[in-house]
Amino acid sequence: MAPAPPLPTMRHSSAFLNPSSPAPPDDACATLALVVLNQRLPRFAPLLWSRAAVRVCADGGANRVFDGMPELLPGQDPGEVRARCVTSKPVTDDAYKPDVIKGDMDSIRPEVKEYYSNLGTKIVDESHDQDTTDLHKCVAFITQNPPVPDKSNQLCILVLGALGGRFDHEMGNINVLHLFPNIKIVLLSDDCLIFLLPRTHRHEIHIERSIEGPHCGLIPIGMPSTSTTTTGLRWNLYNASMSYGGLISTSNVLEEDKVTVTSDSDLIWTASLRD
């Protein structure tokens, strides 16, 4: 029997979190889209906002932008921060106006909705759909309307506010990673990042030492893994089996600037973020 062909390589990088970092390697997050959920904004929200080609607020995430961006820029007048987009055309990268607000509209405050609507933000009310989460709705919208159509295969969706708060919300957000396995989606908080490693690829994770680590983990959420192999970690796996009720790789440590992962199962990768 002929050997199985080698898996294609998928590259990952968190260079988008490094203010001084050049473009990420090869196809790793060449085009960024930003989704803001209804949790406290992380400290790096203004940086990611400036780097995103499109910004979508999931329902109450608009409240977080309205309230939270001025809090993250304490040296500036809150009104000027919110209205910055009005003073320049075309809208500049530091304009804190969402391109789209999408969801079931049960969390956004009426005055926030009116404020952004008056500035030209597109409001998409999907209150008729109670079978999908607001994050699911936003990811579907972005994939159907990619910010750079000819580079849709290099799209990376960054999600702020995906971690913390209610556990069922966190699990729902992780489920979205599995619902869109062919789209790079990164869940972010002040403390860590999470993304999916589809079993269809060999993965190269390029580590930004100044912002990531030292801790990391590989979690088989969805189905067990009977064979996972890694390099670049303090405690590497060699054709290891992982499952709930058995071994899972938590509190591992990043040892090298590049981590590789190959598995027969989809895995969740997580890494801690430095202060």
Side-chain angles (χ1 to χ4, degrees):
M1 180 181 296
L7 294 173
T9 297
M10 181 180 291
R11 294 174 178 84
H12 309 265
S13 170
S14 58
F16 52 79
L17 283 171
N18 190 340
S20 60
S21 177
D26 295 336
D27 58 344
C29 292
T31 302
L32 299 178
L34 188 67
V35 175
V36 181
L37 302 184
N38 192 13
Q39 288 290 334
R40 183 177 62 86
L41 296 179
R43 62 189 181 279
F44 42 76
L47 172 66
L48 298 188
W49 191 279
S50 70
R51 292 185 163 182
V54 64
R55 300 98 170 190
V56 180
C57 287
D59 197 359
N63 300 337
R64 301 292 178 163
V65 174
F66 186 88
D67 298 332
M69 282 297 189
E71 293 174 357
L72 292 172
L73 300 166
Q76 303 181 38
D77 179 80
E80 291 181 0
V81 170
R82 297 188 186 109
R84 189 172 292 163
C85 55
V86 181
T87 61
S88 58
K89 295 187 181 299
V91 175
T92 58
D93 285 342
D94 61 352
Y96 300 118
K97 177 186 78 70
D99 297 297
V100 179
I101 299 173
K102 187 177 178 70
D104 54 17
M105 302 298 151
D106 63 347
S107 300
I108 186 171
R109 301 198 305 268
E111 70 273 17
V112 173
K113 181 180 178 182
E114 180 181 9
Y115 179 86
Y116 287 128
S117 178
N118 289 340
L119 292 182
T121 294
K122 183 177 182 180
I123 311 294
V124 183
D125 186 339
E126 293 206 347
S127 54
H128 63 279
D129 178 7
Q130 294 298 312
D131 293 329
T132 60
T133 65
D134 283 341
L135 176 57
H136 187 145
K137 294 178 176 72
C138 290
V139 170
F141 178 86
I142 293 170
T143 58
Q144 293 162 11
N145 304 273
V148 184
D150 59 343
K151 292 186 178 181
S152 59
N153 63 327
Q154 298 178 333
L155 174 66
C156 184
I157 300 176
L158 310 179
V159 185
L160 305 183
L163 307 170
R166 280 172 41 188
F167 180 68
D168 60 328
H169 283 171
E170 290 184 312
M171 293 304 294
N173 295 334
I174 291 171
N175 187 49
V176 170
L177 303 184
H178 289 270
L179 292 170
F180 295 89
N182 298 320
I183 303 295
K184 288 184 178 179
I185 305 172
V186 184
L187 309 183
L188 291 154
S189 73
D190 268 323
D191 301 312
C192 69
L193 58 79
I194 291 175
F195 53 83
L196 184 72
L197 303 181
R199 62 184 180 274
T200 52
H201 288 72
R202 172 185 176 271
H203 297 274
E204 288 185 3
I205 304 168
H206 296 261
I207 305 301
E208 291 283 328
R209 289 284 184 175
S210 63
I211 58 176
E212 308 183 71
H215 297 105
C216 64
L218 281 167
I219 317 296
I221 294 180
M223 62 183 297
S225 167
T226 60
S227 178
T228 296
T229 297
T230 68
T231 65
L233 304 179
R234 179 171 297 176
W235 296 287
N236 279 309
L237 304 172
Y238 303 98
N239 294 319
S241 297
M242 293 194 297
S243 65
Y244 276 91
L247 171 71
I248 59 174
S249 180
T250 61
S251 298
N252 213 322
V253 176
L254 300 166
E255 286 285 298
E256 300 178 16
D257 292 338
K258 182 175 75 174
V259 172
T260 67
V261 181
T262 305
S263 181
D264 64 346
S265 173
D266 295 346
L267 299 176
I268 293 292
W269 167 263
T270 182
S272 59
L273 297 177
R274 301 182 188 274
D275 294 332

